[in-house]
Amino acid sequence: MVAIKRQIVSSSVGSRVTSGNSNPQNYITVHQTGNTRAGANAEMHARLQSNGNSRSASWHYQVDDKEAIQSFEHTAQCWAAGDGRGPGNMQSVHVEICINSDGDYVQAVKNGAALVKVLMDQMKLPISRVKQHWDWSGKNCPQQIRAGQKGIGWNDFLELVEGSGEQVAGEVVENKPSKPSTGKKTISQMADEVIAKKHGDGHDNRRKSLGISAAEYEKVRAEVNRRAGVDTSKPAAKPTKEYVQLPASAKTWRTYRTNVQPVAKNSDWSLTPSAFGGLEYEVLARPQKDVVTINTSRGRRNIYVGSNTSARIVRK
Ligand SMILES: [Zn+2]
């Protein structure tokens, strides 16, 4: 859990390091400070901004392994993107993640992801509006995330954002995917709710509404199907389906759009079985040997499941 503090800079300082106050808030841009010095944490960066940054630069939030501090209102047009009067400076809210050597790097990145999720919800923006500084001006920033430091690359960061919790009374509650927020509900209770249409239509929508992992959702779905079988007095013999299981020991698993050859350079994203205690998907198609089509949170994707991988295909 990390608090979001407010330490808004004075208008006299603000007017010197921003382009104005008509930011339409169309994007959220992620940075890393580039400052590994001990003590270069959120508090230090917030103080730097409050005192009038010696550089012509500004950003809305700084976040470290312990807290997030807001320095500018979202309406401010901060100078952080290096694109002049382009959309980066004029239309984005900027988040600087601290990399101070006396902080916990991974926790700071997770807190940054949780903050981005809070901002997405506040600003009603989809994940596609979350940008890197690099997107605006080609600067290698957020440098450590872009380099995949500590195993967290940009796609992993976006996954962290999507798995983050909601804002509760001004605080960001971290919601780890492996511990669903609905942990108190049983599979049976969740099945009741799905049948009562409390979670809408479509498997992705329902899973997100329930806030559970794909593996957990499969159990709910199986329970719903089992009851449907009972309630409608269908024959007991149920058709078996094929499922692919990706074990928790697999950190990432490359995905491919269905219109490209499934070779590494064509991969568009990665699943993270380890983050969910393993993942399971229904096999929708087998477009070629050792390749299956599944439905992911980003839509239909192919994955490679050759015998040299740890994937298992099961029927049930
Ligand atoms: Zn940057």
Side-chain angles (χ1 to χ4, degrees):
M1 193 181 297
V2 58
I4 302 177
K5 290 186 188 168
R6 276 170 63 83
Q7 185 179 324
I8 304 297
V9 306
S10 67
S11 54
S12 61
V13 167
S15 63
R16 280 192 278 117
V17 291
T18 64
S19 293
N21 279 299
S22 35
N23 190 331
Q25 301 157 49
N26 290 332
Y27 302 96
I28 299 162
T29 303
V30 177
H31 305 257
Q32 283 172 302
T33 61
N35 189 347
T36 55
R37 226 159 24 81
N41 56 13
E43 188 186 344
M44 190 282 272
H45 282 91
R47 200 180 329 123
L48 175 76
Q49 298 215 85
S50 292
N51 292 343
N53 198 332
S54 53
R55 292 187 301 133
S56 294
S58 54
W59 50 90
H60 298 81
Y61 291 89
Q62 41 267 305
V63 55
D64 63 19
D65 57 333
K66 296 182 184 62
E67 62 183 352
I69 305 177
Q70 182 178 5
S71 292
F72 288 88
E73 302 292 356
H74 295 177
T75 48
Q77 289 160 309
C78 286
W79 294 343
D83 66 343
R85 296 188 70 83
N89 279 343
M90 304 300 279
Q91 301 178 25
S92 180
V93 166
H94 294 271
V95 172
E96 286 277 1
I97 300 173
C98 296
I99 56 167
N100 47 306
S101 55
D102 56 342
D104 178 337
Y105 173 84
V106 171
Q107 189 59 48
V109 171
K110 285 182 177 175
N111 289 349
L115 173 61
V116 168
K117 173 64 173 163
V118 167
L119 296 176
M120 276 171 61
D121 290 346
Q122 281 180 3
M123 295 159 68
K124 298 189 168 46
L125 294 178
I127 192 91
S128 58
R129 296 296 186 92
V130 177
K131 300 295 184 187
Q132 305 176 26
H133 181 173
W134 177 83
D135 289 315
W136 303 123
S137 63
K139 182 177 176 181
N140 186 15
C141 176
Q143 187 176 351
Q144 289 72 25
I145 291 174
R146 287 174 52 74
Q149 185 165 315
K150 302 267 185 188
I152 306 174
W154 181 247
N155 284 341
D156 304 305
F157 181 79
L158 294 180
E159 296 250 304
L160 285 171
V161 171
E162 288 181 310
S164 293
E166 291 155 6
Q167 188 178 20
V168 179
E171 289 180 324
V172 180
V173 179
E174 256 211 281
N175 176 15
K176 297 207 176 87
S178 55
K179 289 181 188 161
S181 59
T182 48
K184 277 171 278 173
K185 288 183 194 163
T186 64
I187 298 292
S188 173
Q189 284 169 329
M190 289 191 276
D192 285 342
E193 293 179 3
V194 167
I195 290 167
K197 298 258 179 212
K198 284 185 183 168
H199 297 282
D201 284 319
H203 295 306
D204 272 356
N205 288 339
R206 287 178 190 155
R207 186 182 69 73
K208 282 177 187 155
S209 173
L210 284 162
I212 58 177
S213 69
E216 195 78 353
Y217 180 75
E218 279 305 323
K219 292 180 194 164
V220 175
R221 194 174 157 187
E223 175 64 12
V224 170
N225 288 343
R226 191 186 67 77
R227 293 196 205 172
V230 171
D231 291 345
T232 57
S233 305
K234 279 179 187 159
K238 55 176 182 179
T240 62
K241 285 179 177 172
E242 264 191 328
Y243 296 88
V244 58
Q245 295 176 335
L246 308 177
S249 56
K251 188 168 177 314
T252 60
W253 207 283
R254 287 197 176 105
T255 65
Y256 305 90
R257 291 182 188 278
T258 53
N259 58 352
V260 300
Q261 273 301 309
V263 292
K265 72 178 170 70
N266 288 337
S267 175
D268 72 319
W269 184 45
S270 289
L271 302 167
T272 52
S274 60
F276 296 95
L279 288 169
E280 182 178 276
Y281 296 92
E282 184 181 339
V283 174
L284 303 176
R286 285 174 169 276
Q288 57 180 273
K289 181 171 157 39
D290 294 336
V291 174
V292 298
T293 304
I294 59 175
N295 197 14
T296 74
S297 63
R298 295 195 182 184
R300 280 186 175 231
R301 290 291 188 277
N302 286 338
I303 58 174
Y304 178 74
V305 296
S307 57
N308 57 336
T309 73
S310 53
R312 277 187 60 208
I313 304 283
V314 298
R315 292 198 78 93
K316 51 187 178 181

